[in-house]
Amino acid sequence: MISFVVCSIREDQLAGLRKNLAATAGVEHELLAQDNREANWGLARVYNHLAGQARYPLLCFIHEDVRFPADPPVGRELAAFFASHPDAGVVGFAGSLVKTRSPSGWENLAAYTRENVVQHGFPGGARALRVNPAHEAYSRVTVLDGFALFVRRETWSDHRFDEATCPGFHLYDLDFTTQVAQAHPNYVCHRVLPEHFSMGIPRASWREACERYHLKWDGRLPMACVTLTPAQVRECETFSAYHWLRELLKRPPEDPAMLDRAWDTYRARARLGHTLRLLRYRLRAALGRKR
């Protein structure tokens, strides 16, 4: 019933996932995995390649360091949801109702975030990130984090991962869920609480992928699955522009033009409090370079 699709670089983690799914899927399933240590394909290419071999009508694109609880069985739960929601697009466990035109990942203001995951990797240890203000079983969102994405095989076939825009290991999830959101509603599942044992780091390759994504979707963004007032849109855009620029000031890119573009985006939405904090980051960066 479900084909789990994995890009693997660690045999021990893949073995752990295989064992976990055997105990938690609750339905007939298969695990399609590519050892990517030699081929080093991008995730979009690996996922498209393996999904083309899938036997079952539901797909789950999943990181090998994800584990599901035994109750409720994740496969049974998700299969039932798709059966009762024939128009559903992608279902994951962390996402946002809004995707801004300003550069960002899937995250946005807390009011528009929906999450349900135990996330490892924080300095103080794992945190249960559970954001569900309406106490829903499934929350409608626009874009999703990619550590576990459930989707019908025909939906993937109509909206395949974009290997040209996402040739590496980043933004494939944001791009894929943005594509699907044009035709189907996406959701965060609050019924099953997975654990994710690693956190993403916005290195140079992530930043470059982020700019490619925004160049591709510039004419369609911002995008939301709820009606926003102009003031709410400005608030979301300001949040993204500020956090993008702050990240670049904290870890200056090799290409100065990327930082210039970030300042241009931010200036159109500048706030005094944000600007003062950004100037402090800018001063620290300048002092660091002099040393």
Side-chain angles (χ1 to χ4, degrees):
M1 185 168 290
I2 299 180
S3 297
F4 291 89
V5 175
V6 183
C7 177
S8 177
I9 57 171
R10 286 185 53 177
E11 293 180 6
D12 60 329
Q13 287 192 351
L14 181 61
L17 177 62
R18 190 183 304 277
K19 182 178 180 180
N20 175 255
L21 292 176
T24 65
V27 294
E28 187 176 350
H29 67 278
E30 64 177 347
L31 179 60
L32 301 172
Q34 174 167 307
D35 185 337
N36 205 38
R37 287 173 291 185
E38 290 188 12
N40 198 35
W41 289 1
L43 270 177
R45 184 179 179 186
V46 171
Y47 282 171
N48 284 335
H49 174 70
L50 293 178
Q53 304 173 23
R55 292 190 290 135
Y56 293 118
L58 286 181
L59 305 175
C60 177
F61 300 99
I62 185 169
H63 294 183
E64 60 186 343
D65 65 341
V66 173
R67 302 292 181 265
F68 293 110
D71 185 37
V74 63
R76 190 181 305 164
E77 171 66 31
L78 270 295
F81 176 79
F82 278 101
S84 61
H85 294 77
D87 194 41
V90 187
V91 178
F93 299 90
S96 175
L97 285 68
V98 181
K99 178 63 200 84
T100 57
R101 187 178 184 187
S102 301
S104 69
W106 63 266
E107 305 92 337
N108 205 269
L109 290 163
Y112 305 109
T113 296
R114 301 293 181 267
E115 287 185 276
N116 186 49
V117 58
V118 176
Q119 179 64 61
H120 293 252
F122 290 104
R127 297 180 191 173
L129 306 177
R130 310 193 77 171
V131 184
N132 183 16
H135 305 289
E136 300 166 300
Y138 290 81
S139 295
R140 176 83 183 271
V141 294
T142 300
V143 290
L144 290 153
D145 185 279
F147 67 84
L149 300 174
F150 288 82
V151 66
R152 287 187 177 86
R153 188 172 57 191
E154 60 265 31
T155 304
W156 159 77
S157 183
D158 290 340
H159 306 276
R160 292 166 62 94
F161 291 94
D162 185 342
E163 299 175 29
T165 300
C166 307
F169 298 91
H170 307 294
L171 276 290
Y172 67 92
D173 47 359
L174 196 63
D175 183 73
F176 179 63
T177 53
T178 301
Q179 289 187 64
V180 175
Q182 311 301 301
H184 303 278
N186 295 330
Y187 295 91
V188 163
C189 170
H190 299 285
R191 291 269 301 150
V192 178
L193 181 65
E195 288 190 82
H196 187 209
F197 286 86
S198 65
M199 296 182 70
I201 300 174
R203 294 190 174 95
S205 56
W206 186 92
R207 297 170 175 183
E208 292 164 5
C210 190
E211 286 206 323
R212 286 195 302 271
Y213 163 88
H214 284 87
L215 181 63
K216 171 182 175 179
W217 291 103
D218 183 66
R220 301 278 189 95
L221 299 175
M223 187 183 302
C225 61
V226 292
T227 301
L228 300 178
T229 66
Q232 289 171 321
V233 173
R234 285 195 300 273
E235 187 179 27
C236 291
E237 292 290 350
T238 298
F239 175 89
S240 292
Y242 166 71
H243 282 271
W244 173 248
L245 180 53
R246 188 183 70 175
E247 177 60 33
L248 295 184
L249 288 171
K250 287 166 64 177
R251 302 175 182 85
E254 292 184 8
D255 179 9
M258 180 180 286
L259 193 54
D260 291 341
R261 290 191 292 272
W263 273 110
D264 289 343
T265 300
Y266 170 74
R267 286 190 186 100
R269 305 162 177 85
R271 290 184 179 176
L272 180 58
H274 287 164
T275 301
L276 292 174
R277 287 192 289 272
L278 290 170
L279 290 175
R280 286 200 294 269
Y281 282 112
R282 193 173 193 176
L283 180 59
R284 288 173 192 166
L287 290 174
R289 284 195 299 271
K290 288 180 181 178
R291 291 172 188 167

